[in-house]
Amino acid sequence: MNEQVVKRVVIAGGGTAGWVAAAALVKQLGPLIEITLVESDEIGTVGVGESTIPTSRTFHQLLGIDEQAFMRATQATFKLGISFENWGQVGDRYIHSFGEIGRRSTWMADFHHFWMEARAQGFGGSLADYCFELQASDAGKFAKAEGQDINYAYHLDATLYARFLRGLAEPAGVKRVEGKIAQVLQDPQTGFITALVLESGVNIEGDLFLDCTGFRALLIEKTLHTGYEDWTRYLTTNSAFAVQTRSTGPAIPLTRAIAHGTGWRWRIPLQHRVGNGIVFCSEFMSDEDARAKLLNEIEGEVLTEPRLIRYQTGARKKVWNKNCVALGLASGFIEPLESTSIHLVKVAVTRLIQEFPFGGCQEAIANRFNDQSRHEIEGIRDFITLHYHLTRRDDSPFWDRCRTMEIPDSLAQRMALFRDEAYAYQEANDLFRVDSWVQVLLGQGLAPTSYHRLAKMMNSEELRKALAALKSNIGNAVARMPSHQEFLARYCPAGDA
């Protein structure tokens, strides 16, 4: 066997992306590689990625993380979905939950087709009646019990999360170097990065470099000039203010995404506080007006000064270029509407572990990595674009633009398939499942004109009984659950750190 060509891994930047990478790499590949993470306490992080999706649980299992210890350390709460308010039109509300709608069966059609057949016959109620996680979240309930399958994610304090992961990574062998990067050295023949030069004069040499420098993209863009594909024609917001407030009531197991005239605002309940923010397009709203609107509409005592964040939605043309892999904000940015930022870091690190270039950073492996990453982020782009484009709001120039804008062909095809046949699908490397597409497409107001007639194979009485039993079982299960706040107090009390 050839001697390893790639052994020294250098992570440029800390924060969530850097410490996620460090913790995962040292856990999975520890004895095979040397990991050095360079960060400066003087450089702040964005630190507002406080909402996750269920893939974080799988990632934590990969790292052997104790859930209760993690939740105490990060002041985390449980999350069952997102409450979308005022998106289809002002006054609308629907929940995109993490649950399965209905029940899987041997039938060759998804559950919502049977529900549509029931509706055509005059019964069936709301599709929301048939999702356990949706009903639990709407009732503010949560529980984990043996034999009870519940699909959930977390709300967490991003700063505390990075600190928690650092506490796992350093004792396992990750070397942290304090300092600002002053220069990036490259091989004059290949252009590969060879070392980071710190302001102190220290050289950090490596074979593979991970760019976790956030929007600065110090390695992938400022050094390697990789290029960036701008997606603001689809996702036009470009600014956000974030602020923390004191809790005013029990934490609910939902992120709230509340649309306003030029964007939306979020509310994320943690154990010790609430994370708030407003997302807007600077073309339609000034910074001053956005800041005032946020402070006007939030609840609870303000704990921090509102922080302005500028961004440009889009993706790096390559996330793996030469011997550099960009993670997190350095790789691109899809706004936080569906809480995908931390997921993209984790899935990229997992992919890197699976495809680690021990034999050298060859073009074939980089191309494979880039193809997979591009497919995934384009799918997320389409899903989030759907929320803006599929709206009946006509109360502002911002929503007029969203409603009438150009959309990707891939999204137009999905919308047409659902409109004409109620058909939704999930491809390999797609993050969002059929149930997610169905919940958002219906929630935003797209009513299919037809559906799969296989649903007629179940006679009316069988269908009525099956739906009634499913609704009753879900309702009874939710009724027996404690409130989310009660469960948190028992499972990971805030004072028990």
Side-chain angles (χ1 to χ4, degrees), residues 208-333:
L208 177 68
F209 291 80
L210 307 187
D211 189 343
C212 300
T213 62
F215 289 131
R216 292 181 301 148
L218 184 58
L219 278 58
I220 196 73
E221 194 59 51
K222 290 188 178 178
T223 301
L224 296 179
H225 309 293
T226 302
Y228 192 79
E229 185 174 333
D230 182 357
W231 287 341
T232 53
R233 65 190 182 279
Y234 307 132
L235 296 165
T236 59
T237 64
N238 58 14
S239 307
F241 274 103
V243 68
Q244 299 168 9
T245 57
R246 197 175 303 281
S247 301
T248 58
I252 61 172
L254 280 171
T255 298
R256 291 182 66 194
I258 308 157
H260 61 82
T262 59
W264 62 284
R265 62 182 179 91
W266 73 79
R267 191 176 191 278
I268 299 173
L270 305 182
Q271 292 187 53
H272 61 314
R273 62 168 176 80
V274 175
N276 307 271
I278 188 166
V279 174
F280 62 102
C281 177
S282 60
E283 182 181 344
F284 297 101
M285 176 177 265
S286 69
D287 294 350
E288 294 76 17
D289 287 346
R291 184 181 186 277
K293 184 175 181 63
L294 175 62
L295 292 175
N296 238 8
E297 296 183 359
I298 56 177
E299 302 171 11
E301 177 190 351
V302 175
L303 302 176
T304 59
E305 181 66 21
R307 185 154 59 96
L308 178 63
I309 302 161
R310 298 284 192 208
Y311 60 84
Q312 180 187 51
T313 53
R316 207 65 58 191
K317 291 183 177 178
K318 297 178 183 178
V319 292
W320 186 329
N321 189 5
K322 300 187 184 295
N323 64 334
C324 175
V325 179
L327 299 175
L329 302 178
S331 69
F333 184 68

